[in-house]
Amino acid sequence: TWAAFLTAEPAQINSVSAREFIQSSAEQNQTMTKMIVRYQAGYLPTMRVVWESENYEIQGILQDETARGYLTLMCSKGLSDGK
């Protein structure tokens, strides 16, 4: 089961790339998305982000090395849909 970590957190969201996969003779898309959020301790790569009713799986977390003002969440959607 999933539990809420933060709700209504403002973020800048940009699609980075899209890849097409052929799996079991069915095409599937995976979209990589970069989400920039305010710094908050506690984000984990095992978490997911729900944005506009879409599930995003966190692939990596990049910290702002200068001032800890923000985090960049590298996320994907499409193959597992964060499940």
Side-chain angles (χ1 to χ4, degrees):
T1 64
W2 295 97
F5 173 61
L6 295 173
T7 59
E9 181 72 9
Q12 177 183 342
I13 300 172
N14 300 310
S15 292
V16 177
S17 68
R19 295 187 290 179
E20 288 188 6
F21 290 90
I22 306 237
Q23 184 177 30
S24 302
S25 302
E27 285 190 27
Q28 297 185 16
N29 289 325
Q30 181 182 35
T31 302
M32 294 299 294
T33 303
K34 178 170 65 172
M35 299 183 178
I36 300 172
V37 297
R38 288 185 214 159
Y39 180 84
Q40 173 69 40
Y43 280 100
L44 300 171
T46 55
M47 294 177 166
R48 69 176 177 173
V49 176
V50 179
W51 181 65
E52 293 190 351
S53 300
E54 298 279 345
N55 295 323
Y56 292 82
E57 187 175 334
I58 297 176
Q59 300 294 320
I61 301 169
L62 308 173
Q63 291 189 0
D64 172 13
E65 296 296 329
T66 58
R68 286 192 173 174
Y70 63 89
L71 295 173
T72 301
L73 307 177
M74 299 304 295
C75 301
S76 67
K77 78 168 187 151
L79 291 180
S80 65
D81 287 332
K83 295 178 183 171

